[in-house]
Amino acid sequence: MTAHEATPAIDENLVLLEMVGRVAVIRLNRPRQMNALNDALMDALGLALLACEQDDGVGAIVITGNDKAFAAGADIAAMRGWDYMDVFKSNYITRNWETLRNVRKPVIAAVAGYALGGGCELAMACDILIAADNAVFGLPELKLAVIPGAGGTQRLPRAISKAKAMDMCMTARNMDADEAERSGLVSRVVAAGRLMDEAMAVAQTIAGFSLPSMMAVKEAINRACESSLSEGMLFERRQLHALFATEDLKEGMNAFLERRAAVFRHR
Ligand code: DAK
């Protein structure tokens, strides 16, 4: 299909959405194509994310793939025939990839196997990145004479330094899980068999805290990446002040002083 064709009907099988308590698990599901990210999959991912955003029962989201691939990049077979007008008019990348950037709830990427090109960019767009020890990260777009176009050239230098980002992009080399952890790209590396246990434990911890406070901390940390220190500090202070209007803040402090577990109502 070309980029300017109408958005295809959503194929629910391309992403599998499962609820575990207050954690939503979104599994990318094109295993035969190494979860290559075509429009249909990205549309399905976008819809799943929006559904999680609107569901008061969701406190954290985990995005994952399978044992071999988180995602091996944008779908090369789909892109091959496109020209400039196709990608410009369809707002390629922006149209369906920006949904993740606008999600206000915490999102964890649980990465096993290949996270290449757009797959690496998708993982980097998440808030926390947990890797299996078989994870492979890379932005090999130059092999195709294209460049990372879903945030790779912007997020990678912020995550791992300019020199390392240049090295990765310009040589199109891959990075294993250990190097990714050393470089600060991922927050944890675990044995492949334990990836989902670890990601779910992290997600459940996050989902147990007050959601408005969680959203405030996500917004504040993201603001740190996009503003001066003084602007960021002001934003943080205002967020802190605002949280004194929530029931959960009172509950958290009362629970501490009454030596009991807090029961947050996410209000
Ligand atoms: N797209 C389409 N199909 C893919 C794919 C991909 N990215 N990656 C893998 N596949 C398919 C393979 O073609 C193969 O299909 P069949 O031949 O079985 O039909 C199947 O998945 C299994 O792959 P392999 O046989 O290659 O499996 P191996 O274990 O040998 O190798 C691999 C796995 C992940 C190392 C290899 O498949 C690979 O190198 N894949 C390509 C990785 C890559 O180059 N990714 C970057 C894609 S470029 C733009 C903005 C952004 C972008 C583009 C434009 N604009 C604003 C215009 C972003 C571009 C990218 O992400």
Side-chain angles (χ1 to χ4, degrees):
M1 114 174 215
T2 59
H4 59 267
E5 280 179 274
T7 302
I10 301 303
D11 181 343
E12 290 170 9
N13 294 321
L14 286 173
V15 301
L16 306 176
L17 177 58
E18 184 194 357
M19 287 300 303
V20 183
R22 288 178 49 75
V23 177
V25 181
I26 300 175
R27 187 176 292 278
L28 310 177
N29 189 41
R30 283 186 87 204
R32 272 175 297 175
Q33 291 82 20
M34 297 271 170
N35 286 339
L37 303 165
N38 63 6
D39 276 352
L41 192 156
M42 291 308 297
D43 285 341
L45 175 61
L47 282 185
L49 288 168
L50 290 175
C52 293
E53 230 2 29
Q54 284 157 14
D55 184 343
D56 286 343
V58 174
I61 301 164
V62 175
I63 301 179
T64 194
N66 55 56
D67 296 350
K68 289 196 181 128
F70 178 75
D75 189 319
I76 300 166
M79 288 190 293
R80 176 167 58 172
W82 296 347
D83 64 17
Y84 171 77
M85 271 306 149
D86 289 324
V87 293
F88 178 70
K89 280 187 176 167
S90 72
N91 215 359
Y92 179 58
I93 302 287
T94 317
R95 177 168 58 80
N96 50 13
W97 290 62
E98 288 287 298
T99 309
L100 177 56
R101 200 157 76 93
N102 295 322
V103 169
R104 297 169 71 205
K105 292 180 179 176
V107 185
I108 297 158
V111 177
Y114 295 107
L116 301 179
C120 185
E121 293 171 305
L122 186 65
M124 287 194 291
C126 296
D127 303 316
I128 297 177
L129 220 160
I130 301 178
D133 55 10
N134 74 341
V136 176
F137 299 91
L139 293 173
E141 279 86 344
L142 279 175
K143 287 184 185 172
L144 308 170
V146 68
I147 68 168
T153 64
Q154 304 304 300
R155 288 200 176 97
L156 196 62
R158 285 169 167 82
I160 69 171
S161 87
K162 174 183 161 183
K164 241 182 178 350
M166 290 281 188
D167 179 351
M168 296 285 298
C169 291
M170 289 179 165
T171 67
R173 77 175 175 89
N174 290 338
M175 187 184 258
D176 66 19
D178 282 344
E179 187 181 2
E181 189 181 30
R182 275 200 312 279
S183 309
L185 180 61
V186 307
S187 57
R188 307 178 188 205
V189 177
V190 296
R194 289 202 51 250
L195 176 65
M196 285 313 288
D197 287 346
E198 185 79 8
M200 292 305 289
V202 171
Q204 271 152 4
T205 298
I206 289 171
F209 291 122
S210 165
L211 183 57
S213 305
M214 189 62 63
M215 288 158 76
V217 93
K218 172 167 173 166
E219 236 171 17
I221 292 175
N222 280 335
R223 186 55 67 100
C225 302
E226 306 208 17
S227 62
S228 67
L229 181 61
S230 57
E231 284 303 314
M233 295 286 279
L234 179 61
F235 184 80
E236 179 194 73
R237 196 65 38 83
R238 295 292 172 252
Q239 292 280 56
L240 170 69
H241 291 167
L243 289 173
F244 277 78
T246 66
E247 290 176 18
D248 282 346
L249 181 139
K250 303 277 181 295
E251 166 62 9
M253 294 187 182
N254 286 336
F256 173 79
L257 294 170
E258 292 162 15
R259 297 182 179 275
R260 59 175 175 82
V263 181
F264 293 124
R265 297 179 60 218
H266 312 293
R267 303 168 59 85

